[in-house]
Amino acid sequence: MSRQNYIFLLSCIFIFMLFSCKHGEGEYHSLTDKIEEKSKDYHGIPVSSEPYIDDLKTVEITEGEHTFLIPERKSQITSYACTECHSKPLEQMKGSDFKKAHWDIGLVHANKVTMNCATCHNGNNMDNLQSLTGNSIDFNRSYKLCSQCHSQQFEDWKGGAHGKNIGGWADPRAAMTCVNCHNPHKPHIESRWPSRFNTQKVKERE
Ligand code: HEC
Ligand code: HEC
Ligand code: HEC
Ligand code: HEC
């Protein structure tokens, strides 16, 4: 075989291999098909948030174009149902005949002119929260209360930029709700020093 023919033959084999490789990927019609198929079983772990939210009681909410799950709250609130005590209007439960209840709740949120207990609680319907316009809001959907004044964080939260998704971005989407992280009565989150390895202490020990 001449040198040119030999090179030609090698090139043919090379080109053939190139195409046959491509051919192996042909099972997928498009790249998105391939990603979808391959991510069905990621390292043996199916890509789903279900393993993370299995033990969690959740409620589904739809806000605008976003539908997702948030943790249920009522079963987590120690003094719920409120009507176990609040069986009559608040005015009738106050006064010297009654012990002071909820002494452990100090309101450290907005200033006293802007906010008091009645901004969020309705003395005549204690088992529900109350909007600024007097509409009742379920305790499981307390984010609706917060969103009245914190619309920026609410918008970010819906999109997933504020707060935290449970089980990452996998479907079904589940996200912590405002009161999972913020105490509504004292919502500011203190900044903390990052934990670090204390080299000074290690030196002292030596
Ligand atoms: C163990 C009984 C009991 C339970 C349960 C209870 N409350 Fe009360 N609460 C009281 C009493 C008694 C008062 C009135 C005396 C006072 O103001 O401390 C009161 C007062 C209040 C007030 C008015 C406080 C003020 O200073 O004006 C609010 C708001 C309130 N409760 C909210 C709630 C909510 C919300 C729940 C349920 C999540 C709840 N309570 C459950 C006994 C209870
Ligand atoms: C900014 C709105 C807001 C204000 C103001 C507010 N609350 Fe609440 N409160 C809430 C929300 C929301 C919850 C439910 C929190 C949750 O899901 O854990 C709650 C829960 C409670 C509970 C049940 C707590 C428990 O763990 O058992 C009591 C009692 C209560 N509030 C009383 C009061 C009293 C008394 C005041 C006034 C001093 C007050 N709240 C002011 C929003 C508010
Ligand atoms: C009636 C209006 C109103 C409602 C309802 C309300 N907030 Fe606020 N919130 C305020 C105001 C006013 C401040 C003080 C803002 C400031 O100091 O810059 C504040 C402060 C805060 C802060 C602290 C910001 C900081 O300094 O770090 C957080 C967090 C917060 N709110 C969360 C919530 C959550 C969660 C809810 C729902 C349970 C809620 N708020 C409901 C008006 C409201
Ligand atoms: C997973 C926990 C988490 C959830 C859920 C969450 N937040 Fe926050 N939020 C934080 C933390 C942490 C900060 C403090 C950020 C900082 O200091 O930089 C914060 C800060 C804030 C502030 C202060 C202003 C700011 O942006 O720093 C407001 C107001 C607030 N959150 C409101 C809300 C509301 C309203 C919701 C629900 C719609 C919500 N948050 C849900 C963790 C959470």
Side-chain angles (χ1 to χ4, degrees):
M1 210 184 326
S2 80
R3 196 182 140 89
Q4 271 110 325
N5 279 354
Y6 185 64
I7 290 173
F8 178 71
L9 187 67
L10 275 183
S11 315
C12 284
I13 293 172
F14 179 70
I15 288 165
F16 174 75
M17 278 167 65
L18 209 68
F19 275 96
S20 57
C21 278
K22 271 253 162 82
H23 196 76
E25 310 251 302
E27 318 157 38
Y28 308 106
H29 293 298
S30 68
L31 187 60
T32 37
D33 278 1
K34 185 180 175 185
I35 292 171
E36 218 158 78
E37 185 57 35
K38 290 270 177 186
S39 53
K40 269 192 187 148
D41 194 49
Y42 185 70
H43 293 307
I45 309 160
V47 181
S48 158
S49 64
E50 262 148 18
Y52 302 94
I53 58 174
D54 253 4
D55 304 334
L56 208 63
K57 244 174 103 183
T58 52
V59 289
E60 189 182 272
I61 62 160
T62 297
E63 288 296 333
E65 58 190 278
H66 304 278
T67 295
F68 54 101
L69 302 167
I70 58 171
E72 180 273 347
R73 285 304 295 170
K74 287 182 199 171
S75 65
Q76 307 297 312
I77 301 172
T78 323
S79 47
Y80 199 84
C82 316
T83 43
E84 280 173 25
C85 297
H86 289 271
S87 50
K88 46 189 173 191
L90 197 54
E91 307 93 73
Q92 295 171 30
M93 292 176 64
K94 285 188 157 184
S96 49
D97 294 349
F98 290 96
K99 270 200 204 144
K100 181 110 182 86
H102 315 310
W103 48 269
D104 53 332
I105 293 176
L107 197 56
V108 191
H109 194 155
N111 66 54
K112 285 198 174 70
V113 181
T114 318
M115 191 185 276
N116 59 28
C117 311
T119 307
C120 305
H121 298 289
N122 177 351
N124 301 315
N125 174 15
M126 213 49 111
D127 278 347
N128 289 290
L129 295 159
Q130 169 174 255
S131 80
L132 296 172
T133 49
N135 292 312
S136 114
I137 296 174
D138 194 282
F139 268 92
N140 282 338
R141 289 160 202 272
S142 55
Y143 67 86
K144 283 182 188 285
L145 194 67
C146 320
S147 69
Q148 302 175 103
C149 304
H150 301 293
S151 52
Q152 187 58 60
Q153 284 76 19
F154 175 59
E155 288 304 318
D156 290 348
W157 175 72
K158 279 190 292 185
H162 188 102
K164 182 163 183 9
N165 282 342
I166 309 163
W169 285 101
D171 283 332
R173 180 184 166 204
M176 308 259 252
T177 187
C178 315
V179 290
N180 287 128
C181 300
H182 297 286
N183 176 341
H185 306 129
K186 193 177 179 291
H188 177 70
I189 292 177
E190 295 299 330
S191 41
R192 287 183 296 182
W193 291 105
S195 55
R196 64 190 173 92
F197 189 66
N198 194 330
T199 44
Q200 187 59 42
K201 279 263 152 56
V202 172
K203 275 196 201 126
E204 281 166 17
R205 256 184 249 130
E206 275 167 359

Coordinates of all heavy atoms in Angstrom, one line a residue, residues 24-88:
G24 N -24.0 6.2 19.0 CA -24.4 5.6 20.3 C -25.3 6.6 21.1 O -26.1 6.1 21.9
E25 N -25.2 7.9 20.9 CA -26.0 8.9 21.6 C -27.4 9.0 21.0 O -28.2 9.7 21.6 CB -25.3 10.2 21.6 CG -23.8 10.1 22.0 CD -23.6 10.7 23.4 OE1 -23.9 11.9 23.6 OE2 -23.1 9.9 24.3
G26 N -27.5 8.4 19.8 CA -28.7 8.7 19.0 C -30.0 8.2 19.7 O -31.1 8.5 19.2
E27 N -29.9 7.4 20.9 CA -31.1 7.0 21.5 C -32.0 8.1 22.0 O -33.1 8.0 22.3 CB -30.8 6.1 22.8 CG -29.7 5.2 22.6 CD -29.0 4.8 24.0 OE1 -29.8 4.7 24.9 OE2 -27.8 4.7 24.0
Y28 N -31.3 9.3 22.3 CA -32.0 10.4 22.7 C -32.3 11.4 21.6 O -31.4 11.6 20.7 CB -31.2 11.2 23.8 CG -30.8 10.3 24.9 CD1 -29.5 9.8 25.0 CD2 -31.7 9.8 25.8 CE1 -29.1 9.0 26.0 CE2 -31.3 8.9 26.8 CZ -30.0 8.5 26.9 OH -29.6 7.6 27.9
H29 N -33.5 11.9 21.5 CA -33.8 12.8 20.4 C -33.2 14.2 20.6 O -32.9 14.8 19.6 CB -35.4 12.9 20.3 CG -36.0 11.6 19.9 ND1 -35.7 11.1 18.7 CD2 -36.8 10.8 20.6 CE1 -36.4 9.9 18.6 NE2 -37.1 9.7 19.7
S30 N -33.1 14.6 21.9 CA -32.5 15.9 22.1 C -31.7 15.9 23.4 O -31.8 14.9 24.2 CB -33.6 17.0 22.2 OG -34.3 16.7 23.3
L31 N -31.0 16.9 23.6 CA -30.2 17.0 24.8 C -31.1 17.1 26.1 O -30.8 16.4 27.1 CB -29.3 18.3 24.8 CG -28.3 18.5 25.9 CD1 -27.3 17.3 25.9 CD2 -27.6 19.8 25.8
T32 N -32.2 17.8 26.0 CA -33.1 17.8 27.2 C -33.7 16.4 27.5 O -33.8 16.1 28.6 CB -34.2 18.8 27.0 OG1 -34.7 18.8 25.6 CG2 -33.8 20.2 27.3
D33 N -34.0 15.7 26.4 CA -34.4 14.3 26.6 C -33.4 13.5 27.4 O -33.7 12.7 28.3 CB -34.6 13.6 25.2 CG -36.0 13.9 24.7 OD1 -36.7 14.7 25.3 OD2 -36.3 13.4 23.6
K34 N -32.1 13.7 27.0 CA -31.0 12.9 27.6 C -30.9 13.3 29.1 O -30.8 12.4 29.9 CB -29.7 13.2 26.8 CG -28.6 12.4 27.4 CD -27.3 12.7 26.6 CE -26.1 11.9 27.3 NZ -24.8 12.2 26.7
I35 N -30.9 14.6 29.3 CA -30.8 15.1 30.7 C -31.9 14.5 31.6 O -31.7 14.0 32.7 CB -30.8 16.6 30.8 CG1 -29.5 17.2 30.2 CG2 -30.9 17.1 32.3 CD1 -29.5 18.7 30.0
E36 N -33.1 14.6 31.0 CA -34.3 14.0 31.8 C -34.1 12.6 32.1 O -34.3 12.1 33.2 CB -35.5 14.3 30.9 CG -36.7 14.6 31.7 CD -37.8 15.4 30.9 OE1 -38.5 14.6 30.1 OE2 -37.8 16.6 30.9
E37 N -33.7 11.8 31.1 CA -33.6 10.4 31.2 C -32.5 10.0 32.2 O -32.6 9.2 33.1 CB -33.2 9.7 29.8 CG -33.2 8.2 29.8 CD -34.5 7.6 30.3 OE1 -35.6 8.1 30.0 OE2 -34.4 6.5 31.0
K38 N -31.3 10.7 32.1 CA -30.2 10.4 32.9 C -30.4 10.8 34.4 O -29.9 10.2 35.3 CB -28.9 11.2 32.4 CG -28.4 10.7 31.1 CD -27.4 9.6 31.3 CE -26.9 9.1 30.0 NZ -26.0 7.9 30.1
S39 N -31.2 11.9 34.6 CA -31.4 12.4 36.0 C -32.5 11.6 36.7 O -32.7 11.8 37.9 CB -31.7 13.9 36.0 OG -32.8 14.2 35.2
K40 N -33.2 10.7 36.0 CA -34.2 9.9 36.7 C -33.6 9.1 37.8 O -34.2 8.8 38.8 CB -34.8 8.9 35.6 CG -36.0 9.5 35.0 CD -36.8 8.4 34.2 CE -37.9 9.1 33.4 NZ -38.2 8.4 32.2
D41 N -32.4 8.6 37.6 CA -31.7 7.8 38.6 C -30.3 8.3 38.8 O -29.4 7.9 38.1 CB -31.7 6.4 38.1 CG -31.3 5.4 39.2 OD1 -31.9 5.5 40.3 OD2 -30.5 4.6 39.0
Y42 N -30.2 9.3 39.7 CA -28.9 9.9 39.9 C -28.1 9.2 41.0 O -28.5 9.2 42.2 CB -29.1 11.4 40.3 CG -27.8 12.2 40.4 CD1 -27.1 12.5 39.3 CD2 -27.4 12.6 41.7 CE1 -25.9 13.2 39.4 CE2 -26.2 13.3 41.8 CZ -25.5 13.6 40.6 OH -24.3 14.4 40.7
H43 N -27.0 8.5 40.7 CA -26.2 7.7 41.6 C -27.1 6.8 42.4 O -26.9 6.6 43.6 CB -25.4 8.6 42.5 CG -24.4 9.4 41.9 ND1 -23.4 8.8 41.0 CD2 -24.1 10.7 41.8 CE1 -22.6 9.8 40.6 NE2 -23.0 10.9 41.0
G44 N -28.1 6.2 41.8 CA -29.0 5.3 42.5 C -30.0 6.0 43.3 O -30.9 5.3 43.9
I45 N -29.9 7.3 43.5 CA -30.9 8.0 44.3 C -31.9 8.7 43.4 O -31.5 9.5 42.6 CB -30.3 9.1 45.2 CG1 -29.1 8.5 46.0 CG2 -31.3 9.7 46.1 CD1 -28.2 9.5 46.6
P46 N -33.1 8.3 43.4 CA -34.1 8.9 42.5 C -34.1 10.4 42.9 O -34.1 10.8 44.0 CB -35.4 8.3 42.8 CG -35.2 7.2 43.8 CD -33.8 7.3 44.3
V47 N -34.1 11.3 41.9 CA -34.2 12.7 42.1 C -35.6 13.2 42.4 O -36.4 13.4 41.6 CB -33.6 13.5 40.9 CG1 -33.6 15.0 41.2 CG2 -32.2 13.1 40.6
S48 N -35.9 13.3 43.7 CA -37.2 13.7 44.2 C -37.0 14.2 45.6 O -36.1 13.8 46.3 CB -38.1 12.5 44.2 OG -39.2 12.7 45.1
S49 N -37.8 15.2 46.0 CA -37.7 15.7 47.3 C -38.4 14.8 48.3 O -38.3 15.1 49.5 CB -38.3 17.2 47.4 OG -39.7 17.1 47.1
E50 N -39.1 13.8 47.8 CA -40.0 13.0 48.7 C -39.2 12.4 49.9 O -39.7 12.4 51.0 CB -40.7 12.0 47.9 CG -42.1 12.4 47.6 CD -42.7 11.9 46.3 OE1 -42.2 10.9 45.8 OE2 -43.7 12.5 45.9
P51 N -38.0 11.8 49.7 CA -37.3 11.3 50.9 C -37.1 12.3 52.0 O -37.0 12.0 53.2 CB -35.9 10.8 50.3 CG -36.1 10.7 48.9 CD -37.2 11.7 48.5
Y52 N -37.0 13.6 51.7 CA -36.7 14.6 52.6 C -38.0 15.1 53.3 O -38.0 15.7 54.4 CB -36.0 15.8 52.0 CG -34.7 15.4 51.3 CD1 -34.7 15.1 50.0 CD2 -33.6 15.4 52.1 CE1 -33.5 14.7 49.4 CE2 -32.4 15.0 51.5 CZ -32.3 14.7 50.1 OH -31.2 14.3 49.5
I53 N -39.1 15.0 52.7 CA -40.4 15.5 53.2 C -41.4 14.5 53.7 O -42.5 14.8 54.1 CB -41.1 16.5 52.2 CG1 -41.4 15.8 50.9 CG2 -40.2 17.7 52.0 CD1 -42.2 16.7 50.0
D54 N -40.9 13.2 53.6 CA -41.8 12.1 54.0 C -42.4 12.2 55.3 O -43.6 12.0 55.5 CB -40.9 10.8 53.9 CG -41.3 9.9 52.7 OD1 -42.1 10.4 51.9 OD2 -40.8 8.8 52.6
D55 N -41.6 12.6 56.3 CA -42.0 12.7 57.7 C -42.7 14.0 58.0 O -43.1 14.2 59.2 CB -40.8 12.5 58.7 CG -40.1 11.2 58.4 OD1 -40.7 10.3 57.9 OD2 -38.9 11.2 58.7
L56 N -42.8 14.8 57.0 CA -43.3 16.2 57.3 C -44.8 16.3 56.9 O -45.1 15.9 55.8 CB -42.4 17.2 56.5 CG -42.2 18.6 56.9 CD1 -41.5 18.6 58.3 CD2 -41.4 19.3 55.9
K57 N -45.6 16.9 57.7 CA -46.9 17.2 57.3 C -46.9 18.6 56.5 O -46.4 19.5 57.1 CB -47.9 17.4 58.5 CG -48.9 16.3 58.6 CD -49.7 16.4 59.9 CE -51.1 17.0 59.7 NZ -51.8 17.2 61.0
T58 N -47.4 18.5 55.3 CA -47.3 19.8 54.5 C -48.6 20.2 54.0 O -49.6 19.5 54.0 CB -46.4 19.5 53.3 OG1 -46.8 18.4 52.6 CG2 -44.9 19.3 53.7
V59 N -48.7 21.5 53.6 CA -49.9 22.0 52.9 C -49.4 22.6 51.6 O -48.3 23.1 51.5 CB -50.6 23.1 53.7 CG1 -51.4 22.5 54.9 CG2 -49.7 24.2 54.1
E60 N -50.3 22.4 50.5 CA -49.9 22.9 49.2 C -50.5 24.3 49.0 O -51.6 24.6 49.4 CB -50.4 22.0 48.1 CG -49.9 22.4 46.7 CD -50.5 21.6 45.6 OE1 -49.9 20.5 45.3 OE2 -51.5 22.0 45.0
I61 N -49.6 25.2 48.6 CA -50.1 26.6 48.3 C -49.8 27.0 46.9 O -48.9 26.5 46.3 CB -49.4 27.6 49.3 CG1 -47.9 27.7 49.1 CG2 -49.7 27.3 50.7 CD1 -47.2 28.9 49.6
T62 N -50.6 27.9 46.4 CA -50.4 28.5 45.1 C -50.4 30.0 45.2 O -51.4 30.6 45.7 CB -51.5 28.0 44.1 OG1 -51.4 26.6 43.9 CG2 -51.3 28.7 42.7
E63 N -49.3 30.6 44.9 CA -49.2 32.1 44.9 C -48.7 32.5 43.6 O -47.6 32.3 43.2 CB -48.2 32.5 46.0 CG -48.7 32.3 47.4 CD -49.9 33.2 47.8 OE1 -50.1 34.3 47.1 OE2 -50.7 32.8 48.6
G64 N -49.6 33.2 42.8 CA -49.2 33.6 41.5 C -48.9 32.3 40.6 O -49.7 31.4 40.6
E65 N -47.8 32.3 40.0 CA -47.4 31.2 39.1 C -46.7 30.1 39.9 O -46.3 29.1 39.3 CB -46.6 31.7 38.0 CG -45.3 32.4 38.4 CD -44.5 33.1 37.3 OE1 -43.8 32.4 36.6 OE2 -44.7 34.3 37.2
H66 N -46.6 30.2 41.2 CA -45.8 29.3 42.0 C -46.7 28.4 42.8 O -47.5 28.9 43.6 CB -44.8 30.0 42.9 CG -43.9 30.9 42.2 ND1 -42.7 30.4 41.5 CD2 -43.9 32.2 42.0 CE1 -42.1 31.5 41.0 NE2 -42.8 32.6 41.2
T67 N -46.6 27.1 42.6 CA -47.3 26.1 43.5 C -46.2 25.3 44.2 O -45.4 24.7 43.6 CB -48.2 25.2 42.6 OG1 -49.2 26.1 42.1 CG2 -48.9 24.2 43.5
F68 N -46.3 25.2 45.5 CA -45.3 24.4 46.3 C -45.9 24.1 47.6 O -46.9 24.5 48.1 CB -43.9 25.1 46.4 CG -43.9 26.5 46.9 CD1 -43.6 26.7 48.2 CD2 -44.3 27.6 46.1 CE1 -43.5 28.0 48.8 CE2 -44.2 28.9 46.6 CZ -43.9 29.1 47.9
L69 N -45.1 23.2 48.3 CA -45.5 22.7 49.6 C -44.8 23.5 50.7 O -43.7 23.9 50.6 CB -45.2 21.2 49.8 CG -45.8 20.3 48.8 CD1 -45.1 18.9 48.9 CD2 -47.3 20.1 49.0
I70 N -45.5 23.8 51.8 CA -44.9 24.3 53.0 C -45.3 23.5 54.2 O -46.3 22.8 54.2 CB -45.3 25.8 53.2 CG1 -46.8 26.0 53.4 CG2 -44.7 26.7 52.1 CD1 -47.2 27.4 53.8
P71 N -44.4 23.5 55.3 CA -44.8 22.7 56.5 C -46.1 23.2 57.1 O -46.3 24.4 57.2 CB -43.6 22.9 57.4 CG -42.5 23.4 56.5 CD -43.1 24.2 55.4
E72 N -46.9 22.2 57.6 CA -48.1 22.5 58.3 C -47.7 23.1 59.7 O -46.6 22.7 60.2 CB -48.9 21.2 58.5 CG -50.2 21.3 59.2 CD -50.1 21.1 60.7 OE1 -49.0 20.7 61.2 OE2 -51.0 21.4 61.4
R73 N -48.4 24.1 60.3 CA -48.0 24.7 61.5 C -48.8 24.4 62.7 O -48.3 24.3 63.8 CB -48.0 26.2 61.3 CG -46.9 26.8 60.5 CD -45.5 26.5 61.0 NE -45.2 27.0 62.3 CZ -44.1 26.7 63.0 NH1 -43.3 25.8 62.5 NH2 -43.9 27.2 64.2
K74 N -50.2 24.3 62.5 CA -51.1 24.2 63.7 C -50.6 23.2 64.7 O -50.7 23.4 65.9 CB -52.5 24.0 63.2 CG -53.1 25.2 62.6 CD -54.5 25.0 62.2 CE -55.0 25.9 61.1 NZ -56.3 25.6 60.6
S75 N -50.2 22.0 64.2 CA -49.8 20.9 65.2 C -48.5 21.3 65.9 O -48.2 20.6 66.9 CB -49.7 19.6 64.4 OG -48.6 19.7 63.5
Q76 N -47.8 22.3 65.5 CA -46.5 22.7 66.1 C -46.7 23.8 67.1 O -45.8 24.1 67.9 CB -45.6 23.2 65.0 CG -45.3 22.2 63.8 CD -44.7 20.9 64.3 OE1 -43.8 20.9 65.0 NE2 -45.3 19.8 63.9
I77 N -47.9 24.5 67.1 CA -48.1 25.6 68.0 C -48.6 25.1 69.3 O -49.7 24.5 69.4 CB -49.0 26.6 67.4 CG1 -48.5 27.1 66.0 CG2 -49.3 27.8 68.3 CD1 -49.4 28.0 65.2
T78 N -47.8 25.3 70.4 CA -48.1 24.8 71.7 C -49.5 25.1 72.2 O -50.2 24.2 72.7 CB -47.1 25.3 72.8 OG1 -45.8 25.4 72.1 CG2 -47.0 24.4 74.0
S79 N -49.9 26.4 72.1 CA -51.2 26.8 72.7 C -52.3 26.8 71.7 O -53.3 27.4 72.0 CB -51.0 28.1 73.4 OG -50.4 29.0 72.6
Y80 N -52.2 26.0 70.6 CA -53.3 25.9 69.7 C -54.1 24.6 70.1 O -53.5 23.6 70.5 CB -52.7 25.7 68.2 CG -53.8 26.0 67.2 CD1 -54.1 27.3 66.8 CD2 -54.5 24.9 66.6 CE1 -55.0 27.5 65.8 CE2 -55.5 25.2 65.7 CZ -55.7 26.5 65.3 OH -56.7 26.8 64.3
A81 N -55.4 24.6 70.1 CA -56.3 25.6 69.6 C -56.5 26.7 70.7 O -56.7 26.4 71.8 CB -57.7 25.0 69.3
C82 N -56.4 27.9 70.3 CA -56.5 29.1 71.1 C -57.9 29.1 71.8 O -58.0 29.6 73.0 CB -56.3 30.4 70.3 SG -55.0 30.3 69.2
T83 N -58.9 28.6 71.2 CA -60.3 28.7 71.7 C -60.5 27.7 72.9 O -61.5 27.8 73.5 CB -61.3 28.4 70.6 OG1 -60.8 27.3 69.9 CG2 -61.5 29.6 69.7
E84 N -59.4 26.9 73.2 CA -59.5 26.1 74.4 C -59.6 27.1 75.6 O -60.3 26.8 76.6 CB -58.3 25.2 74.6 CG -58.4 24.0 73.7 CD -57.1 23.1 73.7 OE1 -56.3 23.2 74.7 OE2 -56.9 22.4 72.8
C85 N -59.0 28.3 75.5 CA -59.2 29.3 76.6 C -60.0 30.5 76.1 O -60.8 31.0 76.8 CB -57.8 29.8 77.0 SG -56.8 28.6 77.8
H86 N -59.7 30.8 74.8 CA -60.4 32.0 74.2 C -61.8 31.7 73.8 O -62.1 31.8 72.6 CB -59.6 32.6 73.1 CG -58.3 33.3 73.6 ND1 -58.3 34.6 73.9 CD2 -57.1 32.8 73.8 CE1 -57.0 34.9 74.3 NE2 -56.3 33.8 74.2
S87 N -62.6 31.3 74.7 CA -64.0 30.8 74.3 C -64.9 32.0 74.3 O -66.1 31.9 73.9 CB -64.5 29.8 75.3 OG -64.3 30.2 76.6
K88 N -64.4 33.2 74.8 CA -65.2 34.4 74.7 C -64.4 35.6 74.3 O -63.1 35.4 74.3 CB -65.9 34.7 76.1 CG -65.0 34.5 77.3 CD -65.8 34.6 78.5 CE -64.9 34.3 79.7 NZ -65.6 34.1 81.0

